Structure formats: C-alpha cells, structure tokens
Amino acid sequence: MYAVAALPHAGDPGVTKSQLIKYIAHIFPRAVYTTGKGSSGVGLTAAVQRDPVTSEMVLEGGALVVADKGICCIDEFDKMDEGDRTAIHEVMKQQTVSIAKAGITTTLNTRTTVLAAANPAMGRYDVKRSPTENINLPAALLSRFDLMWLILDKKDSEADRALCSHVLSVHQTSRAPERTDAV
C-alpha cells in the first residue's frame, strides 16, 4: 500500500501559493495540476463517455486517477463546489475511486498525494480563528490532510517597499539590483 500524504497550503492571497504548487507540478515526474474552480467531481475522479469511433462507452480517468503514484495539485481548493469536494473523500481515505455508470462498474487506484491551495474565507487569515473557520472547508475534509501549511503575509510596510523596489528594478533593468546591505 502506498502512503498518501495530503497537504493543504492555506494563507493570505498573494503569497505565492499558486506559484508554489504549479512549480511542484512542473518538477515532479508524475504530477497533475488542476484548479478547484474549474474541476468537477467527475473531472477529479473519472467519467464515462461514448467513444466517437466505436460508439462504445469508455472510462476516462480524472486528475486523481491520472496522478496515481504521483501528486495531484489542486489550486483554489476553497472555490470548489461542495458536491465536487465530496468526490475526493473516498480518494483520500481509501486510495481508490469506485465507478458504476453506464454499465461500467470498477474501482480505480488513486494512490496519490493531494497538494491543495486555499485562500481564507474572510480575505485574510485570522490567527485567532481555527483553520476550519478560516478556510471554510468542512472539518471532515480537512481531517483527511496529514499536514496543513499556512503561508501568511505579515504586515511590514518596509519589507513590502523593499520587495516592490526589487521587482520594479528587475523589470526595468532585466537584472537583479546590486545589494547595498552587508551580508
């Protein structure tokens, strides 16, 4: 049996959660990247479709099936419809997805790590509230994740100004500015 690690990245908007999981999906040998807003439960698990050539019903694996023995990166996990989120409960608990549609009955392996990114429900993460309240996801679903990694934007106007100056300099000169501080 494969160990399934599931890790949601949660935190303030604009702290590179999306860029981080896109990069992980890019460098990982067997990875699938999808978004919660653009994925349905069927798109995550499996769909039965009619083959255009043979007219037979065929099974097409979704993102979690394709990512078997790999990693499935789901961005905007908090924007996924409730019904679609329930589709991944079996995947995260049993490491399989059961299909019984159009005369096709089978169980597909989904031994995948789920890496999900979510924004807080109130716009900014409130450290005084629980993760369930902040992310607005059911506790039963959050409990399926092995680890939660919070990426927070701490208010620091001086650091924000320095970062803005760096980004502007890189875009204006196409290279990183010379460092003026002692290391």
Side-chain angles (χ1 to χ4, degrees):
M1 180 172 284
Y2 289 84
V4 174
L7 174 68
H9 288 74
D12 296 323
V15 291
T16 71
K17 296 181 302 295
S18 296
Q19 295 301 318
L20 181 62
I21 68 170
K22 281 181 186 176
Y23 185 72
I24 290 168
H26 176 73
I27 64 170
F28 206 82
R30 187 172 185 97
V32 175
Y33 173 85
T34 187
T35 63
K37 196 169 190 173
S39 295
S40 65
V42 170
L44 289 170
T45 56
V48 176
Q49 299 177 337
R50 188 168 302 279
D51 185 286
V53 176
T54 65
S55 296
E56 292 180 352
M57 299 306 278
V58 294
L59 189 61
E60 184 177 331
L64 294 161
V65 174
V66 173
D68 184 40
K69 297 184 184 178
I71 185 167
C72 183
C73 299
I74 307 172
D75 198 4
E76 298 181 353
F77 194 67
D78 55 308
K79 311 245 183 343
M80 189 180 296
D81 289 337
E82 180 62 34
D84 297 333
R85 269 191 239 138
T86 58
I88 67 171
H89 273 267
E90 178 189 2
V91 170
M92 294 178 77
K93 183 178 181 183
Q94 303 294 333
Q95 301 179 6
T96 60
V97 61
S98 301
I99 304 296
K101 296 178 183 176
I104 297 174
T105 306
T106 190
T107 301
L108 302 171
N109 288 325
T110 56
R111 300 160 295 190
T112 182
T113 296
V114 176
L115 178 62
N119 286 316
M122 313 310 178
R124 288 192 63 86
Y125 196 90
D126 182 355
V127 294
K128 296 175 186 155
R129 302 182 108 163
S130 71
T132 306
E133 293 171 313
N134 269 295
I135 306 169
N136 198 23
L137 292 173
L141 182 58
L142 281 179
S143 72
R144 300 271 187 246
F145 288 94
D146 298 325
L147 177 67
M148 182 176 296
W149 181 14
L150 298 177
I151 305 174
L152 304 178
D153 181 17
K154 296 200 165 90
K155 293 180 183 180
D156 183 347
S157 58
E158 188 174 317
D160 290 346
R161 250 190 295 287
L163 178 60
C164 286
S165 293
H166 176 80
V167 170
L168 287 172
S169 177
V170 168
H171 282 284
Q172 290 171 346
T173 64
S174 297
R175 61 180 175 22
E178 296 293 323
R179 290 191 66 153
T180 57
D181 58 326
V183 179

